[in-house]
Amino acid sequence: MVTGTSERLYSKLKHRDIDWAITSRLPDASEFLTQKLFSEPSVLAVPLSMDFGAKAVSWQDLKFCGLPLLRYIRSSGGHKITESLLGALSVDLPVKIEVDDGGVMLKLIAEGLGWSFIRPATLIQHLELTERIRILPMPNPVMQRQLILAYRKDIDPQMRDEILVICDRFYKETLHPEIIRLAPWLAASLPAS
């Protein structure tokens, strides 16, 4: 099992280094098949020192909060989702750091070096850091990340179906309950568990 950007995973699929990839970016349809696993809304992750009180955080609050937006590297799916939204809103935010890993992103936020938009599945992978950050609803419109299972066209369909059952069970039994625990306001926007 390996982790990495969508491009890295698709390269490994193409070269038969791996058989399956769970990613947020659609591949070239001529090379790979996909199955949607689930879609998740982003949340705002800020250092504990950033307190906006009871009010909803606005884009203006983020622009002038005194800390930079931490972004994913340009080749990642997370970067493309974020840039698409910010471009559509014509929001220009200061950026000082780009990372290629959600765990590194959360560690930097916990150290007070910036803030970011994080996907709940990333939070679940790093529960030990959630006590050191503040998780808030992001300003509207909320970014959505779609997670998909990607595979080569010669993969056994029975094995694909087994993997889909395992992914569905993991979502229902582990991921969904943890996301609701960390970000209860997402209950209405997530697929039922």
Side-chain angles (χ1 to χ4, degrees), residues 73-90:
I73 60 171
R74 295 185 194 284
S75 63
S76 72
H79 179 86
K80 291 183 183 356
I81 293 168
T82 302
E83 289 306 303
S84 177
L85 176 70
L86 295 178
L89 295 173
S90 298

Side-chain angles (χ1 to χ4, degrees), residues 1-187:
M1 188 163 73
V2 297
T3 61
T5 63
S6 297
E7 285 75 17
R8 177 175 182 236
L9 295 177
Y10 286 131
S11 174
K12 289 190 167 294
L13 267 178
K14 185 175 186 172
H15 293 100
R16 299 183 175 274
D17 295 329
I18 60 174
D19 294 321
W20 311 93
I22 295 176
T23 178
S24 61
R25 203 142 158 236
L26 286 170
D28 179 351
S30 68
E31 289 190 82
F32 305 111
L33 298 174
T34 63
Q35 292 283 322
K36 180 181 176 184
L37 297 175
F38 69 94
S39 183
E40 63 179 336
S42 296
V43 295
L44 177 61
V46 301
L48 289 175
S49 60
M50 287 177 69
D51 189 356
F52 296 100
K55 74 179 187 105
V57 179
S58 71
W59 291 105
Q60 285 296 98
D61 292 331
L62 295 174
K63 187 171 185 173
F64 298 108
C65 71
L67 289 175
L69 166 66
L70 305 177
R71 293 190 187 180
Y72 288 100
I73 60 171
R74 295 185 194 284
S75 63
S76 72
H79 179 86
K80 291 183 183 356
I81 293 168
T82 302
E83 289 306 303
S84 177
L85 176 70
L86 295 178
L89 295 173
S90 298
V91 174
D92 186 30
L93 298 167
V95 179
K96 290 187 179 170
I97 301 171
E98 289 187 6
V99 300
D100 67 349
D101 178 78
V104 172
M105 179 88 69
L106 290 170
K107 287 175 187 172
L108 294 171
I109 293 168
E111 293 299 321
L113 297 175
W115 59 272
S116 194
F117 304 111
I118 300 289
R119 273 41 94 184
T122 301
L123 291 172
I124 304 308
Q125 291 175 316
H126 304 282
L127 285 174
E128 74 283 0
L129 293 170
T130 60
E131 299 296 321
R132 298 177 48 207
I133 62 173
R134 195 178 307 275
I135 303 164
L136 303 167
M138 75 171 279
N140 285 323
V142 175
M143 284 184 280
Q144 292 281 332
R145 174 176 77 163
Q146 183 177 190
L147 285 178
I148 58 169
L149 176 67
Y151 48 96
R152 290 184 311 278
K153 293 181 176 183
D154 61 349
I155 289 294
D156 175 14
Q158 184 177 351
M159 182 166 271
R160 177 208 57 215
D161 293 344
E162 289 178 31
I163 289 175
L164 290 172
V165 167
I166 292 168
C167 289
D168 185 58
R169 185 180 325 124
F170 174 75
Y171 176 79
K172 289 176 178 175
E173 295 176 4
T174 304
L175 195 56
H176 187 272
E178 280 296 318
I179 290 171
I180 300 305
R181 184 182 69 78
L182 290 171
W185 65 88
L186 294 179

